[in-house]
Amino acid sequence: MNRTLPSVRRPDPGPEDTAVTRQGTADAPATRQGTADAPVTSRPGPWRRGPVLTALALLLGLLMLLHARVPNRVGNLGSLLETFLPWCGLFVPVLLAGVLWRRSASAAVALLLPVTVWLSLFGGLLGGASRPAGDLTVVSHNVGADNPDPAGTARDLAASGADMLALLEITPQARGTYEKELASAYPYHAVRGTVGLWSKLPLTGTRPVDTARDYGPLAETKPVESRLADTRALRTTVATDHGPLAVYVAHLGSVRFNPRGGFGTADRDRGAQALGEAVAAEQNERVVLLGDLNGSTDDRALDGLTAQLRSVHDAAGSGFGFSWPARFPVVRIDQILVRGVEPASSWVLPATGSDHLPVAAGINW
């Protein structure tokens, strides 16, 4: 027999039941964090922001400060860095932009190191333009073996009014052109191998200088004349009203860069050492060295020369005086170094048909 049970209607919850239900919900384990209870992630303070920028700024400053400690054992990295050392300053505005973007106080303070080091190294070159001045004006120019217009180059150099012109990379084909075009302005000249000096003052005692281009056991068996047949350096004496002046004209070996071998400077370095020894043996107290040294005066490979001679540009020039390549100069490898005379001024002449720019200097007695 089937019975249908009457339905029982449950009463609506009263205030007490509602309170209990709410209390139970509050006491139950939370399954989702409420918005009001969400943790707030605080942004690092200005002294804790930009640790990478801080590290990069310190690294840049130390790299410039301690550039002489960068080893040359692997790919001559030290010489490569020193050749382009002024360009390290380009990283400063890049880092500054990062500092401003990150608003990092620590990185801003760290950036003071590379700025201070760069200014101590190159700040003296940021003055006004150096005006031609001096008792004696000299010009050094790698005229370029592939120069398409040696006659025009000679005329441009003569127009500078310099008392002496040092020409480098003179080819046998172009030598006669230079001699013809410069004869009227420069009655005295001497050429040895691929380098020469044209002068308004008398020259005596010109001789080639061995820059160790021909080296090794086999070279020792050759006559001196044979080893110096293709010389790239000479030494001569210029007669001045203030006494004799020893002038060296030199073109050191080229440098090469490739990914495997790195910065190849062996030929240049041997020549710099040999030339430094020749200058050290020089008896005349007044010395001028003109030439393409294929290196900046910051490069440690030229220490044997820069320890004895002063760069006129470093002492009396303005700007960086970059001389190569002529279309967009990025480094000064054409140098005028002196001893026993005072640097007065230094400047760069307009481009000729060469891939180098001519460099000029004025010196005082």
Side-chain angles (χ1 to χ4, degrees):
M1 177 176 175
N2 295 331
R3 289 184 178 179
T4 302
L5 297 178
S7 60
V8 179
R9 184 172 179 269
R10 300 186 63 182
D12 294 331
E16 295 180 358
D17 295 330
T18 302
V20 172
T21 303
R22 289 176 178 172
Q23 183 67 30
T25 303
D27 295 339
T31 58
R32 192 171 81 180
Q33 191 73 20
T35 303
D37 298 330
V40 178
T41 303
S42 61
R43 186 180 181 186
W47 290 100
R48 300 183 63 184
R49 296 177 202 156
V52 174
L53 287 171
T54 302
L56 289 175
L58 293 175
L59 180 62
L60 177 61
L62 292 174
L63 192 65
M64 291 191 291
L65 181 64
L66 304 175
H67 62 85
R69 301 291 184 89
V70 178
N72 256 347
R73 290 189 297 272
V74 180
N76 287 313
L77 290 178
S79 286
L80 181 62
L81 169 64
E82 289 163 340
T83 298
F84 298 99
L85 195 59
W87 292 96
C88 289
L90 289 180
F91 292 103
V92 171
V94 175
L95 290 173
L96 178 59
V99 168
L100 296 176
W101 177 60
R102 293 286 291 148
R103 298 182 181 180
S104 171
S106 59
V109 173
L111 194 59
L112 292 175
L113 176 62
V115 170
T116 302
V117 174
W118 192 91
L119 288 176
S120 69
L121 292 173
F122 307 108
L125 299 175
L126 300 180
S130 178
R131 297 180 179 180
D135 298 328
L136 190 71
T137 302
V138 296
V139 167
S140 179
H141 187 32
N142 182 327
V143 294
D146 298 324
N147 191 325
D149 185 19
T153 297
R155 289 192 294 268
D156 290 342
L157 294 175
S160 70
D163 298 293
M164 290 186 291
L165 299 176
L167 273 56
L168 307 101
E169 214 166 280
I170 303 171
T171 62
Q173 298 79 9
R175 175 175 173 174
T177 301
Y178 291 118
E179 290 175 333
K180 176 182 177 181
E181 295 293 336
L182 297 173
S184 59
Y186 298 93
Y188 308 97
H189 83 280
V191 177
R192 297 293 185 273
T194 60
V195 300
L197 183 71
W198 276 256
S199 174
K200 295 180 180 181
L201 302 172
L203 307 177
T204 58
T206 303
R207 58 177 173 79
V209 176
D210 188 1
T211 54
R213 288 185 53 79
D214 195 355
Y215 69 100
L218 183 60
E220 298 298 328
T221 64
K222 298 181 180 179
V224 175
E225 295 78 10
S226 176
R227 296 204 305 270
L228 298 179
D230 189 29
T231 186
R232 291 170 57 160
L234 66 79
R235 186 266 185 208
T236 191
T237 300
V238 180
T240 76
D241 294 337
H242 299 270
L245 175 69
V247 177
Y248 288 79
V249 179
H251 183 194
L252 298 185
S254 300
V255 299
R256 297 287 185 268
F257 180 80
N258 62 76
R260 290 187 177 182
F263 196 45
T265 64
D267 191 17
R268 189 275 310 270
D269 294 351
R270 283 194 309 271
Q273 181 178 354
L275 187 59
E277 292 172 356
V279 171
E282 175 62 52
Q283 298 299 310
N284 198 322
E285 64 177 10
R286 296 189 181 101
V287 178
V288 173
L289 169 60
L290 308 162
D292 174 5
L293 304 186
N294 272 305
S296 73
T297 52
D298 295 309
D299 192 332
R300 70 194 68 178
L302 303 185
D303 284 353
L305 292 169
T306 55
Q308 305 180 69
L309 307 170
R310 298 174 66 191
S311 165
V312 179
H313 187 78
D314 290 349
S318 62
F320 295 103
F322 295 148
S323 63
W324 182 88
R327 290 183 179 273
F328 187 79
V330 297
V331 64
R332 183 183 178 91
I333 59 177
D334 300 276
Q335 310 292 349
I336 299 176
L337 310 178
V338 300
R339 182 182 77 193
V341 294
E342 289 300 318
S345 57
S346 175
W347 65 100
V348 177
L349 295 174
T352 67
S354 172
D355 60 339
H356 291 244
L357 295 177
V359 296
I363 59 176
N364 289 330
W365 303 108

